């Protein structure tokens, strides 16, 4: 099933990816009532990380911002896997992003703007959300960024 949200994704020249398989003992997304909570999504493309390392060292802030957008797209795929249709998104409630940061890197919010801006481009006002941007020492698979998303759905 493909609706207005997926049409908007296509208009932006993007494609909703397949859900990234779990790397451990968890589900990519779960639904509780009208809310969907995604697991942390890495910027996987075709089953691989396009780049690894710390932001502010091996990875530039601009590269990391693009990777955060990829994480958000992967999160939407995870949401669809349990909601069935992205047009059921009433609003994005919260985005939490983690940035594997060099010791002196303090631009985590700008990196996470990649995810936030993409959600806004795709969902308009429904994509406006609360957010946390956290710097961490290391992420799974040496990923530069990881993003989790919480969305509220319309009733089925």
């Amino acid at each position: 099933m493909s609706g207005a949200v997926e049409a908007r994704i296509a208009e932006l020249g993007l494609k909703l990816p397949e859900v990234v398989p779990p790397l451990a003992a968890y589900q990519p997304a779960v639904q509780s009532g009208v809310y969907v909570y995604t697991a942390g999504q890495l910027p996987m493309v075709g089953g691989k990380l396009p780049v690894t390392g710390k932001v502010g060292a091996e990875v530039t802030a601009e590269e990391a911002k693009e990777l955060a957008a990829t994480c958000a797209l992967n999160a939407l795929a995870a949401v669809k896997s349990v909601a069935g249709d992205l047009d059921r998104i009433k609003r994005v409630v919260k985005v939490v992003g983690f940035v594997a940061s060099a010791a002196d890197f303090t631009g985590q919010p700008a990196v996470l703007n990649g995810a936030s801006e993409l959600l806004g481009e795709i969902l308009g006002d429904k994509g406006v959300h609360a957010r946390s941007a956290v710097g961490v020492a290391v992420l799974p698979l040496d990923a530069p960024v990881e993003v989790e998303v919480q969305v509220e759905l319309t009733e089925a």
Side-chain angles (χ1 to χ4, degrees):
M1 180 184 293
S2 156
V5 173
E6 288 190 58
R8 178 64 181 145
I9 291 170
E11 279 177 26
L12 293 170
L14 302 170
K15 183 177 184 292
L16 193 68
E18 295 294 319
V19 177
V20 175
L23 300 174
Y26 62 89
Q27 294 297 311
V30 297
Q31 184 173 347
S32 180
V34 295
Y35 295 95
V36 174
Y37 303 85
T38 73
Q41 300 293 311
L42 299 178
M44 302 290 261
V45 177
K48 296 180 181 179
L49 288 173
V51 66
T52 59
K54 306 280 185 290
V55 180
E58 301 88 2
V59 181
T60 69
E62 192 56 41
E63 288 172 316
K65 182 178 178 182
E66 292 174 17
L67 294 169
T70 300
C71 292
L73 198 58
N74 288 341
L76 288 176
V79 169
K80 182 182 178 186
S81 76
V82 296
D85 184 352
L86 292 177
D87 288 351
R88 289 189 60 210
I89 294 175
K90 185 174 183 178
R91 75 167 304 151
V92 177
V93 177
K94 176 102 187 238
V95 171
V96 178
F98 304 94
V99 180
S101 303
D104 60 347
F105 183 75
T106 60
Q108 293 84 3
V111 167
L112 268 295
N113 281 346
S116 296
E117 290 168 2
L118 183 66
L119 291 169
E121 287 181 57
I122 293 170
L123 297 165
D125 289 342
K126 294 178 185 181
V128 177
H129 52 268
R131 186 182 82 191
S132 297
V134 182
V136 297
V138 68
L139 288 168
L141 304 179
D142 200 23
V145 295
E146 180 176 345
V147 174
E148 61 183 54
V149 175
Q150 300 166 9
V151 302
E152 180 182 4
L153 302 175
T154 59
E155 297 292 337

